[in-house]
Amino acid sequence: MTHAKAIFFGEHSVVYGKKGITIPLPEMTVKATLIKTNEVQKRDEILQYICEQCKIDNKTKVVIESKIPVGRGLGSSAALSIAIARANNCNNIREIANRCEKFIHGNPSGIDVNQVLSDTPLIFSKNEGARPIEFNLECFLLIIDTGIVGITKNAVERVKNNYNKNEKYIERLGEITEKVITHLQNKDVINVGKFMDEAHYNLEKIGVSHPSNNEVVQICKEYGALGAKITGGGDGGCCIALVKSKDNANYIKNKLKEHGYLSWIVTV
């Protein structure tokens, strides 16, 4: 079993060597169970690749129990490969998960695998790897599902193809991550929220914000969120919103539901 993750800051810019900040979502889990059978199992391309990397034969049934929505930027693919590798008692789980992420996403930063394997928030970059970051904002984070499947591989490729136009926004996303660290550690939730809003603006500028992402962010801000933004690859998927109180989080959650958006509340 393993858990999901959310990117707090640094989407897409981590692909270009900038830092990203991620948090674990222990409430969202995936569990894999392996059952030996006498029949050849039918698997889709992704599951077949994961099984091959984990050296699971084609007569073993893989039963998956997941609370992580797929294609929403919450690390479902990394969590799946890690859960299957753990179920088969693989020794090189990180290597397996990284290979699977490359197969699924093309050019992943590595941020998902690191956070899914960790129970504490991380700062990550391609050059420096991952290290823990300690903070406790004493706030609540809404994880909001737009209902739109976002294909990270497509979003990453599109940003790459338009890099010359996107470069200044990618640079700014990297700067935001660097600047927000002190505010996170000082529990300065007002400025954390402001940086979330600015990060969403820059993600919108590089073309990864679906209209549903923008609507979710607008609803959250209208009803009292300190900040709101895309989390993950974008093109739909999920957004996150920082909220000061549990009552306000539930209020926003209900307003989102009125517009057809499901959400979960976690603590940060």
Side-chain angles (χ1 to χ4, degrees), residues 60 112 134 136 158 188 195 207 264:
T60 298
D112 282 21
E134 292 186 13
N136 178 10
R158 193 168 65 252
D188 183 358
F195 277 124
W264 303 267

Side-chain angles (χ1 to χ4, degrees), residues 75 115 165-166 215 232 242:
Q115 186 58 80
K165 183 177 73 172
N166 293 328
E215 182 179 38
L242 185 65

Side-chain angles (χ1 to χ4, degrees), residues 162-192:
N162 293 288
Y163 181 79
N164 289 338
K165 183 177 73 172
N166 293 328
E167 184 176 8
K168 66 179 179 180
Y169 304 114
I170 291 169
E171 289 294 320
R172 183 56 187 164
L173 286 165
E175 291 170 1
I176 288 170
T177 303
E178 294 281 1
K179 291 186 175 188
V180 81
I181 292 170
T182 300
H183 298 296
L184 286 169
Q185 293 173 329
N186 291 339
K187 296 186 181 180
D188 183 358
V189 295
I190 300 300
N191 275 310
V192 172

Side-chain angles (χ1 to χ4, degrees), residues 194-232:
K194 288 179 179 177
F195 277 124
M196 290 175 71
D197 292 340
E198 188 182 353
H200 183 78
Y201 168 82
N202 283 275
L203 289 165
E204 188 176 4
K205 283 295 185 181
I206 65 173
V208 298
S209 186
H210 188 276
S212 62
N213 295 120
N214 294 335
E215 182 179 38
V216 164
V217 166
Q218 183 179 355
I219 292 168
C220 291
K221 292 293 293 179
E222 181 178 350
Y223 293 105
L226 299 171
K229 61 183 282 293
I230 287 169
T231 183

